């Protein structure tokens, strides 16, 4: 079983997946009229770009029509299949962006320490490191937002040591609910009796990790992807005293 589930929008076909980097390459071919010019514009080697196109075509079928040089010069253009593939990718990206924006876990907590923009916040679910409003000091109540697309899920025995990863925030929990979309799944992880942490994973990762309701997992997320603001109650008190 794979140890980690996180999200990068991909369209898979067998062992090959079209990624955002591949989408950019195909779009550059369409814009510049040749693979050579596309690679140059993107700062990539032509050999690497050509090899990647071949890999994608082995999986998805013809994507680039190439013409040899002659009196009119050589060039490349996308096939109808490539245009359809890019459209599918765009729809998947839109679905992902919509879910990621809507799915955010908000924790109530109290600042216990801070170091510049980063602060340590004590919440009912545990301690969180986050980028917190600079006006919030020790003792202030804050609301910490954690976007679902910033959360990585791991099997408990495969969870990285916090000191050895940039994702130093970690909560263990039990899968409470799974909402599967076309290619993206929203996993709700109960990290304490009153708190559910949402995470986005691809359907492929969901299957590989064998995530089901009741699965025990560890959620990890970076401090730099976690934002805290002064809670509305504390803010209203501050406004009233000024």
């Amino acid at each position: 079983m794979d140890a980690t589930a996180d999200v990068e929008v991909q369209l898979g076909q067998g062992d090959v997946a079209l990624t955002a980097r591949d989408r950019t390459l195909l779009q550059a071919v369409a814009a510049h009229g040749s693979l050579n010019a596309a690679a140059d514009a993107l700062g990539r080697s032509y050999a690497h770009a050509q090899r990647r196109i071949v890999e994608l075509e082995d999986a998805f079928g013809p994507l680039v029509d190439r013409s040899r040089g002659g009196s009119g010069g050589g060039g490349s253009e996308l096939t109808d299949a490539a245009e359809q593939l890019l459209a599918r990718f765009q729809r998947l990206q839109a679905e992902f962006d919509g879910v990621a924006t809507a799915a955010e876990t908000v924790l109530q907590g109290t600042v216990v320490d801070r170091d510049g923009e980063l602060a340590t916040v004590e919440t009912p679910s545990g301690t969180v490191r986050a980028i917190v409003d600079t006006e919030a000091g020790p003792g202030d109540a804050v609301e910490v937002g954690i976007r679902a697309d910033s959360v990585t899920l791991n099997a408990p025995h495969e969870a990285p040591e916090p000191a050895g990863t940039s994702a130093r925030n970690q909560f263990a929990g039990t899968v409470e609910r799974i909402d599967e979309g076309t290619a993206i799944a929203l996993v709700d992880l109960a990290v304490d009796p009153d708190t559910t942490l949402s995470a986005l994973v691809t359907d492929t990762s969901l299957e590989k990790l064998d995530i089901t309701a009741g699965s025990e997992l560890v959620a990890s997320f970076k401090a730099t992807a976690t934002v805290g603001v002064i809670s509305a109650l504390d803010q209203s008190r501050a406004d009233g005293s000024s």
Side-chain angles (χ1 to χ4, degrees), residues 82-172:
E83 296 286 1
Q84 293 170 10
L85 189 63
L86 288 176
R88 286 175 56 201
F89 190 93
Q90 290 296 99
R91 288 194 296 271
L92 178 59
Q93 183 72 62
E95 177 186 352
F96 166 78
D97 289 342
V99 175
T101 300
E104 181 180 56
T105 301
V106 178
L107 302 178
Q108 305 293 329
T110 303
V111 175
V112 295
D113 187 25
R114 71 174 307 138
D115 180 13
E117 293 183 342
L118 289 176
T120 302
V121 180
E122 194 63 44
T123 79
S125 305
T127 302
V128 175
R129 289 279 287 170
I131 296 176
V132 175
D133 190 327
T134 55
E135 294 184 3
D140 286 337
V142 294
E143 298 174 350
V144 179
I146 307 162
R147 279 174 53 109
D149 59 331
S150 69
V151 179
T152 299
L153 299 178
N154 301 271
H157 64 284
E158 296 287 353
E161 290 294 331
T165 175
S166 59
R168 297 194 174 188
N169 292 316
Q170 288 190 349
F171 289 150

Side-chain angles (χ1 to χ4, degrees), residues 217-234:
L217 298 171
V218 174
S220 305
F221 49 97
K222 297 179 181 180
T224 52
T226 311
V227 179
V229 297
I230 298 175
S231 71
L233 181 59
D234 258 29

Side-chain angles (χ1 to χ4, degrees), residues 2-10 92 95-96 99-100 103 147-155 175 177-189 197-212 217-220:
D2 285 2
T4 302
D6 51 15
V7 172
E8 177 189 4
V9 176
Q10 298 181 346
L92 178 59
E95 177 186 352
F96 166 78
V99 175
R147 279 174 53 109
D149 59 331
S150 69
V151 179
T152 299
L153 299 178
N154 301 271
V175 175
R177 186 175 70 94
I178 302 171
D179 185 7
E180 295 189 55
T182 305
I184 300 291
L186 184 66
V187 178
D188 287 339
L189 193 70
L197 181 66
S198 296
L200 275 180
V201 301
T202 63
D203 285 351
T204 300
S205 294
L206 191 73
E207 181 179 350
K208 287 183 177 180
L209 274 170
D210 193 25
I211 298 175
T212 59
L217 298 171
V218 174
S220 305

